[in-house]
Amino acid sequence: MSAMKKALTSSSFPSAETGRKRSADEMITGISGNMNEEFENTWIPRDVYIRTAEMKDLKDASNLLTNAFFSMNILKTPFEWLKTYLSLEETFPKDSNDHFMFVACSRSTDSIIGFCEVDSRMSIKPEAAPRPYMCNLAVGKKWRNRGIAKALIFECEKKARGWGKEYIY
């Protein structure tokens, strides 16, 4: 056991949803746990749900990503939004079992408040990122610091475990 994991194991952390203390083993799902074991996503706040993205979600996801990653500039922002939208549309996982996009949604408004994707497709480019990799993780400003990003990461980790992978890059 690594020194970091030993230090974490001796302490516990509050759950975002219930306030229940959780051990480091429960939190570090990418490091600990049986790869074939099905874990429950306890990071999700009660007023939020996570689902696989649909093509109709790409406009809202593009807004979220553009607002999260680019400074607001009246000339540049529409261009960045369009680039983001076209990129998501081009790479949208149609009938794919090795690339997924996830959205976090508010239960009260059904609006998209978070987004991320995980990709395990092989690349022919030698400089490509290792697989599987997670990208485009963003949560709306009003929804931050509530465990939503952790819940989205957890969904990506769950997919990676399903692919028999131990790590996400």
Side-chain angles (χ1 to χ4, degrees), residues 23-130:
S23 71
D25 284 333
E26 288 178 291
M27 293 182 60
I28 307 173
T29 57
I31 296 172
S32 65
N34 181 343
M35 290 292 287
N36 297 321
E37 185 178 343
E38 188 65 32
F39 291 93
E40 179 184 347
N41 193 340
T42 58
W43 292 110
I44 305 172
R46 287 190 178 100
D47 56 344
V48 174
Y49 66 95
I50 295 178
R51 63 174 170 78
T52 303
E54 301 170 6
M55 188 68 103
K56 67 179 180 150
D57 299 325
L58 297 187
K59 288 181 182 177
D60 290 336
S62 298
N63 282 335
L64 186 69
L65 291 166
T66 303
N67 291 336
F69 292 119
F70 300 101
S71 60
M72 298 306 284
N73 177 318
I74 196 158
L75 298 175
K76 191 175 180 182
T77 302
F79 175 71
E80 293 299 345
W81 181 90
L82 183 60
K83 277 182 22 182
T84 302
Y85 176 79
L86 293 175
S87 173
L88 291 177
E89 185 180 54
E90 180 183 345
T91 62
F92 188 79
K94 302 171 189 84
D95 301 321
S96 174
N97 288 325
D98 52 5
H99 179 214
F100 286 87
M101 294 179 177
F102 296 103
V103 290
C105 302
S106 163
R107 288 192 190 278
S108 60
T109 63
D110 215 30
S111 60
I112 294 173
I113 58 173
F115 180 84
C116 77
E117 58 185 302
V118 62
D119 191 349
S120 186
R121 297 173 294 180
M122 297 309 295
S123 177
I124 58 172
K125 298 178 183 177
E127 71 277 3

